PDB file of all heavy atoms in Angstrom:
ATOM      1  N   TYR A 120     121.944 109.974 119.240  1.00  0.00           N
ATOM      2  CA  TYR A 120     121.114 108.710 119.236  1.00  0.00           C
ATOM      3  C   TYR A 120     120.096 108.766 118.130  1.00  0.00           C
ATOM      4  O   TYR A 120     119.589 107.675 117.766  1.00  0.00           O
ATOM      5  CB  TYR A 120     120.445 108.537 120.624  1.00  0.00           C
ATOM      6  CG  TYR A 120     119.478 109.605 121.018  1.00  0.00           C
ATOM      7  CD1 TYR A 120     118.124 109.655 120.510  1.00  0.00           C
ATOM      8  CD2 TYR A 120     119.835 110.607 121.987  1.00  0.00           C
ATOM      9  CE1 TYR A 120     117.234 110.633 120.943  1.00  0.00           C
ATOM     10  CE2 TYR A 120     118.913 111.555 122.410  1.00  0.00           C
ATOM     11  CZ  TYR A 120     117.619 111.594 121.857  1.00  0.00           C
ATOM     12  OH  TYR A 120     116.726 112.508 122.283  1.00  0.00           O
ATOM     13  N   HIS A 121     119.763 109.929 117.542  1.00  0.00           N
ATOM     14  CA  HIS A 121     118.880 109.925 116.390  1.00  0.00           C
ATOM     15  C   HIS A 121     119.447 109.246 115.166  1.00  0.00           C
ATOM     16  O   HIS A 121     118.717 108.936 114.261  1.00  0.00           O
ATOM     17  CB  HIS A 121     118.399 111.351 116.107  1.00  0.00           C
ATOM     18  CG  HIS A 121     119.584 112.281 115.643  1.00  0.00           C
ATOM     19  ND1 HIS A 121     120.692 112.385 116.379  1.00  0.00           N
ATOM     20  CD2 HIS A 121     119.682 113.052 114.586  1.00  0.00           C
ATOM     21  CE1 HIS A 121     121.543 113.219 115.805  1.00  0.00           C
ATOM     22  NE2 HIS A 121     120.977 113.645 114.690  1.00  0.00           N
ATOM     23  N   LEU A 122     120.778 109.162 115.138  1.00  0.00           N
ATOM     24  CA  LEU A 122     121.425 108.511 114.004  1.00  0.00           C
ATOM     25  C   LEU A 122     121.732 107.032 114.284  1.00  0.00           C
ATOM     26  O   LEU A 122     122.486 106.393 113.489  1.00  0.00           O
ATOM     27  CB  LEU A 122     122.728 109.287 113.644  1.00  0.00           C
ATOM     28  CG  LEU A 122     122.500 110.728 113.202  1.00  0.00           C
ATOM     29  CD1 LEU A 122     123.876 111.383 112.914  1.00  0.00           C
ATOM     30  CD2 LEU A 122     121.623 110.771 111.930  1.00  0.00           C
ATOM     31  N   CYS A 123     121.303 106.491 115.334  1.00  0.00           N
ATOM     32  CA  CYS A 123     121.503 105.074 115.676  1.00  0.00           C
ATOM     33  C   CYS A 123     120.999 104.206 114.475  1.00  0.00           C
ATOM     34  O   CYS A 123     119.878 104.349 114.065  1.00  0.00           O
ATOM     35  CB  CYS A 123     120.683 104.707 116.946  1.00  0.00           C
ATOM     36  SG  CYS A 123     120.698 102.913 117.261  1.00  0.00           S
ATOM     37  N   PRO A 124     121.873 103.394 113.954  1.00  0.00           N
ATOM     38  CA  PRO A 124     121.458 102.604 112.771  1.00  0.00           C
ATOM     39  C   PRO A 124     120.377 101.567 113.001  1.00  0.00           C
ATOM     40  O   PRO A 124     119.731 101.079 112.093  1.00  0.00           O
ATOM     41  CB  PRO A 124     122.792 101.873 112.317  1.00  0.00           C
ATOM     42  CG  PRO A 124     123.562 101.851 113.584  1.00  0.00           C
ATOM     43  CD  PRO A 124     123.309 103.042 114.350  1.00  0.00           C
ATOM     44  N   THR A 125     120.107 101.274 114.275  1.00  0.00           N
ATOM     45  CA  THR A 125     119.068 100.323 114.566  1.00  0.00           C
ATOM     46  C   THR A 125     117.964 100.933 115.405  1.00  0.00           C
ATOM     47  O   THR A 125     117.140 100.210 116.041  1.00  0.00           O
ATOM     48  CB  THR A 125     119.609  99.072 115.351  1.00  0.00           C
ATOM     49  OG1 THR A 125     120.262  99.529 116.567  1.00  0.00           O
ATOM     50  CG2 THR A 125     120.622  98.329 114.491  1.00  0.00           C
ATOM     51  N   VAL A 126     117.809 102.257 115.330  1.00  0.00           N
ATOM     52  CA  VAL A 126     116.764 102.942 116.118  1.00  0.00           C
ATOM     53  C   VAL A 126     115.393 102.439 115.655  1.00  0.00           C
ATOM     54  O   VAL A 126     115.115 102.260 114.447  1.00  0.00           O
ATOM     55  CB  VAL A 126     116.822 104.484 115.970  1.00  0.00           C
ATOM     56  CG1 VAL A 126     116.651 104.871 114.482  1.00  0.00           C
ATOM     57  CG2 VAL A 126     115.859 105.144 116.826  1.00  0.00           C
ATOM     58  N   HIS A 127     114.487 102.159 116.626  1.00  0.00           N
ATOM     59  CA  HIS A 127     113.134 101.807 116.294  1.00  0.00           C
ATOM     60  C   HIS A 127     112.278 103.091 116.460  1.00  0.00           C
ATOM     61  O   HIS A 127     111.960 103.532 117.557  1.00  0.00           O
ATOM     62  CB  HIS A 127     112.587 100.815 117.361  1.00  0.00           C
ATOM     63  CG  HIS A 127     113.191  99.465 117.231  1.00  0.00           C
ATOM     64  ND1 HIS A 127     112.573  98.291 117.673  1.00  0.00           N
ATOM     65  CD2 HIS A 127     114.362  99.039 116.662  1.00  0.00           C
ATOM     66  CE1 HIS A 127     113.302  97.202 117.427  1.00  0.00           C
ATOM     67  NE2 HIS A 127     114.388  97.665 116.839  1.00  0.00           N
ATOM     68  N   PHE A 128     112.034 103.702 115.305  1.00  0.00           N
ATOM     69  CA  PHE A 128     111.294 104.963 115.252  1.00  0.00           C
ATOM     70  C   PHE A 128     109.854 104.666 114.917  1.00  0.00           C
ATOM     71  O   PHE A 128     109.587 104.148 113.800  1.00  0.00           O
ATOM     72  CB  PHE A 128     111.923 105.980 114.283  1.00  0.00           C
ATOM     73  CG  PHE A 128     111.427 107.392 114.460  1.00  0.00           C
ATOM     74  CD1 PHE A 128     112.112 108.253 115.363  1.00  0.00           C
ATOM     75  CD2 PHE A 128     110.294 107.822 113.867  1.00  0.00           C
ATOM     76  CE1 PHE A 128     111.616 109.549 115.636  1.00  0.00           C
ATOM     77  CE2 PHE A 128     109.821 109.123 114.111  1.00  0.00           C
ATOM     78  CZ  PHE A 128     110.476 109.991 114.930  1.00  0.00           C
ATOM     79  N   LYS A 129     108.981 104.974 115.846  1.00  0.00           N
ATOM     80  CA  LYS A 129     107.552 104.581 115.655  1.00  0.00           C
ATOM     81  C   LYS A 129     106.948 105.193 114.366  1.00  0.00           C
ATOM     82  O   LYS A 129     107.138 106.367 114.100  1.00  0.00           O
ATOM     83  CB  LYS A 129     106.758 105.049 116.867  1.00  0.00           C
ATOM     84  CG  LYS A 129     107.167 104.387 118.137  1.00  0.00           C
ATOM     85  CD  LYS A 129     107.000 102.852 118.127  1.00  0.00           C
ATOM     86  CE  LYS A 129     107.423 102.203 119.349  1.00  0.00           C
ATOM     87  NZ  LYS A 129     106.434 102.184 120.395  1.00  0.00           N
ATOM     88  N   SER A 130     106.329 104.374 113.604  1.00  0.00           N
ATOM     89  CA  SER A 130     105.595 104.694 112.333  1.00  0.00           C
ATOM     90  C   SER A 130     106.542 104.763 111.138  1.00  0.00           C
ATOM     91  O   SER A 130     106.061 104.819 109.999  1.00  0.00           O
ATOM     92  CB  SER A 130     104.737 105.924 112.449  1.00  0.00           C
ATOM     93  OG  SER A 130     105.456 107.137 112.147  1.00  0.00           O
ATOM     94  N   THR A 131     107.827 104.631 111.341  1.00  0.00           N
ATOM     95  CA  THR A 131     108.774 104.513 110.209  1.00  0.00           C
ATOM     96  C   THR A 131     108.909 103.040 109.865  1.00  0.00           C
ATOM     97  O   THR A 131     109.274 102.303 110.750  1.00  0.00           O
ATOM     98  CB  THR A 131     110.107 105.171 110.501  1.00  0.00           C
ATOM     99  OG1 THR A 131     109.941 106.561 110.691  1.00  0.00           O
ATOM    100  CG2 THR A 131     111.110 104.961 109.378  1.00  0.00           C
ATOM    101  N   PRO A 132     108.620 102.629 108.639  1.00  0.00           N
ATOM    102  CA  PRO A 132     108.716 101.201 108.327  1.00  0.00           C
ATOM    103  C   PRO A 132     109.988 100.613 108.747  1.00  0.00           C
ATOM    104  O   PRO A 132     111.052 101.225 108.553  1.00  0.00           O
ATOM    105  CB  PRO A 132     108.534 101.200 106.774  1.00  0.00           C
ATOM    106  CG  PRO A 132     107.701 102.454 106.461  1.00  0.00           C
ATOM    107  CD  PRO A 132     108.244 103.469 107.503  1.00  0.00           C
ATOM    108  N   PRO A 133     109.902  99.368 109.299  1.00  0.00           N
ATOM    109  CA  PRO A 133     108.735  98.496 109.458  1.00  0.00           C
ATOM    110  C   PRO A 133     108.082  98.577 110.869  1.00  0.00           C
ATOM    111  O   PRO A 133     107.301  97.662 111.196  1.00  0.00           O
ATOM    112  CB  PRO A 133     109.370  97.103 109.307  1.00  0.00           C
ATOM    113  CG  PRO A 133     110.671  97.239 109.955  1.00  0.00           C
ATOM    114  CD  PRO A 133     111.183  98.647 109.708  1.00  0.00           C
ATOM    115  N   TYR A 134     108.345  99.660 111.641  1.00  0.00           N
ATOM    116  CA  TYR A 134     107.898  99.626 113.014  1.00  0.00           C
ATOM    117  C   TYR A 134     106.508 100.261 113.094  1.00  0.00           C
ATOM    118  O   TYR A 134     106.187 101.295 112.466  1.00  0.00           O
ATOM    119  CB  TYR A 134     108.891 100.430 113.849  1.00  0.00           C
ATOM    120  CG  TYR A 134     110.284  99.955 113.712  1.00  0.00           C
ATOM    121  CD1 TYR A 134     111.310 100.609 113.102  1.00  0.00           C
ATOM    122  CD2 TYR A 134     110.601  98.669 114.224  1.00  0.00           C
ATOM    123  CE1 TYR A 134     112.598 100.095 112.965  1.00  0.00           C
ATOM    124  CE2 TYR A 134     111.896  98.111 114.104  1.00  0.00           C
ATOM    125  CZ  TYR A 134     112.847  98.838 113.476  1.00  0.00           C
ATOM    126  OH  TYR A 134     114.121  98.362 113.309  1.00  0.00           O
ATOM    127  N   ASP A 135     105.686  99.683 114.027  1.00  0.00           N
ATOM    128  CA  ASP A 135     104.372 100.209 114.298  1.00  0.00           C
ATOM    129  C   ASP A 135     104.445 101.602 114.927  1.00  0.00           C
ATOM    130  O   ASP A 135     105.424 101.939 115.667  1.00  0.00           O
ATOM    131  CB  ASP A 135     103.630  99.339 115.268  1.00  0.00           C
ATOM    132  CG  ASP A 135     102.963  98.157 114.633  1.00  0.00           C
ATOM    133  OD1 ASP A 135     102.563  98.312 113.450  1.00  0.00           O
ATOM    134  OD2 ASP A 135     102.840  97.010 115.256  1.00  0.00           O
ATOM    135  N   GLY A 136     103.465 102.453 114.549  1.00  0.00           N
ATOM    136  CA  GLY A 136     103.387 103.786 115.165  1.00  0.00           C
ATOM    137  C   GLY A 136     102.571 103.763 116.405  1.00  0.00           C
ATOM    138  O   GLY A 136     102.305 102.750 117.052  1.00  0.00           O
ATOM    139  N   MET A 137     102.090 104.963 116.810  1.00  0.00           N
ATOM    140  CA  MET A 137     101.390 105.110 118.114  1.00  0.00           C
ATOM    141  C   MET A 137      99.959 105.496 117.941  1.00  0.00           C
ATOM    142  O   MET A 137      99.294 105.932 118.879  1.00  0.00           O
ATOM    143  CB  MET A 137     102.122 106.188 118.945  1.00  0.00           C
ATOM    144  CG  MET A 137     103.611 105.781 119.159  1.00  0.00           C
ATOM    145  SD  MET A 137     104.546 106.878 120.281  1.00  0.00           S
ATOM    146  CE  MET A 137     104.746 108.340 119.235  1.00  0.00           C
ATOM    147  N   LEU A 138      99.407 105.413 116.729  1.00  0.00           N
ATOM    148  CA  LEU A 138      97.956 105.658 116.555  1.00  0.00           C
ATOM    149  C   LEU A 138      97.134 104.464 117.002  1.00  0.00           C
ATOM    150  O   LEU A 138      96.714 103.624 116.199  1.00  0.00           O
ATOM    151  CB  LEU A 138      97.676 106.055 115.105  1.00  0.00           C
ATOM    152  CG  LEU A 138      97.622 107.498 114.808  1.00  0.00           C
ATOM    153  CD1 LEU A 138      97.488 107.823 113.363  1.00  0.00           C
ATOM    154  CD2 LEU A 138      96.444 108.195 115.625  1.00  0.00           C
ATOM    155  N   ALA A 139      96.968 104.343 118.330  1.00  0.00           N
ATOM    156  CA  ALA A 139      96.205 103.295 118.909  1.00  0.00           C
ATOM    157  C   ALA A 139      95.681 103.791 120.241  1.00  0.00           C
ATOM    158  O   ALA A 139      96.069 104.821 120.708  1.00  0.00           O
ATOM    159  CB  ALA A 139      97.053 102.063 119.131  1.00  0.00           C
ATOM    160  N   LYS A 140      94.720 103.083 120.778  1.00  0.00           N
ATOM    161  CA  LYS A 140      94.189 103.540 122.058  1.00  0.00           C
ATOM    162  C   LYS A 140      95.194 103.227 123.172  1.00  0.00           C
ATOM    163  O   LYS A 140      95.342 104.056 124.072  1.00  0.00           O
ATOM    164  CB  LYS A 140      92.820 102.794 122.390  1.00  0.00           C
ATOM    165  CG  LYS A 140      91.656 103.340 121.560  1.00  0.00           C
ATOM    166  CD  LYS A 140      90.343 102.986 122.219  1.00  0.00           C
ATOM    167  CE  LYS A 140      89.196 103.729 121.571  1.00  0.00           C
ATOM    168  NZ  LYS A 140      87.910 103.495 122.320  1.00  0.00           N
ATOM    169  N   TYR A 141      95.882 102.078 123.077  1.00  0.00           N
ATOM    170  CA  TYR A 141      96.899 101.755 124.039  1.00  0.00           C
ATOM    171  C   TYR A 141      98.179 101.253 123.376  1.00  0.00           C
ATOM    172  O   TYR A 141      98.041 100.530 122.381  1.00  0.00           O
ATOM    173  CB  TYR A 141      96.326 100.676 125.013  1.00  0.00           C
ATOM    174  CG  TYR A 141      95.210 101.136 125.897  1.00  0.00           C
ATOM    175  CD1 TYR A 141      93.877 101.028 125.462  1.00  0.00           C
ATOM    176  CD2 TYR A 141      95.415 101.643 127.181  1.00  0.00           C
ATOM    177  CE1 TYR A 141      92.860 101.446 126.327  1.00  0.00           C
ATOM    178  CE2 TYR A 141      94.397 102.128 127.956  1.00  0.00           C
ATOM    179  CZ  TYR A 141      93.124 101.979 127.528  1.00  0.00           C
ATOM    180  OH  TYR A 141      92.086 102.392 128.281  1.00  0.00           O
ATOM    181  N   ILE A 142      99.286 101.675 123.811  1.00  0.00           N
ATOM    182  CA  ILE A 142     100.546 101.174 123.291  1.00  0.00           C
ATOM    183  C   ILE A 142     101.463 100.884 124.527  1.00  0.00           C
ATOM    184  O   ILE A 142     101.167 101.222 125.622  1.00  0.00           O
ATOM    185  CB  ILE A 142     101.273 102.247 122.426  1.00  0.00           C
ATOM    186  CG1 ILE A 142     101.624 103.473 123.232  1.00  0.00           C
ATOM    187  CG2 ILE A 142     100.341 102.611 121.259  1.00  0.00           C
ATOM    188  CD1 ILE A 142     102.625 104.391 122.487  1.00  0.00           C
ATOM    189  N   VAL A 143     102.586 100.239 124.211  1.00  0.00           N
ATOM    190  CA  VAL A 143     103.669 100.212 125.257  1.00  0.00           C
ATOM    191  C   VAL A 143     104.910 100.868 124.696  1.00  0.00           C
ATOM    192  O   VAL A 143     105.080 100.999 123.455  1.00  0.00           O
ATOM    193  CB  VAL A 143     104.047  98.716 125.617  1.00  0.00           C
ATOM    194  CG1 VAL A 143     102.875  98.080 126.308  1.00  0.00           C
ATOM    195  CG2 VAL A 143     104.443  97.923 124.445  1.00  0.00           C
ATOM    196  N   HIS A 144     105.678 101.472 125.555  1.00  0.00           N
ATOM    197  CA  HIS A 144     106.860 102.247 125.141  1.00  0.00           C
ATOM    198  C   HIS A 144     107.891 102.212 126.233  1.00  0.00           C
ATOM    199  O   HIS A 144     107.626 102.002 127.411  1.00  0.00           O
ATOM    200  CB  HIS A 144     106.450 103.691 124.902  1.00  0.00           C
ATOM    201  CG  HIS A 144     107.354 104.498 124.006  1.00  0.00           C
ATOM    202  ND1 HIS A 144     107.343 104.280 122.642  1.00  0.00           N
ATOM    203  CD2 HIS A 144     108.313 105.438 124.288  1.00  0.00           C
ATOM    204  CE1 HIS A 144     108.261 105.082 122.115  1.00  0.00           C
ATOM    205  NE2 HIS A 144     108.867 105.823 123.062  1.00  0.00           N
TER     206      HIS A 144
END
Side-chain angles (χ1 to χ4, degrees):
Y120 63 79
H121 62 308
L122 297 179
C123 171
T125 59
V126 62
H127 289 204
F128 196 90
K129 297 301 180 78
S130 84
T131 295
Y134 305 111
D135 278 330
M137 300 186 290
L138 263 174
K140 285 199 169 187
Y141 294 89
I142 66 166
V143 294
H144 202 74

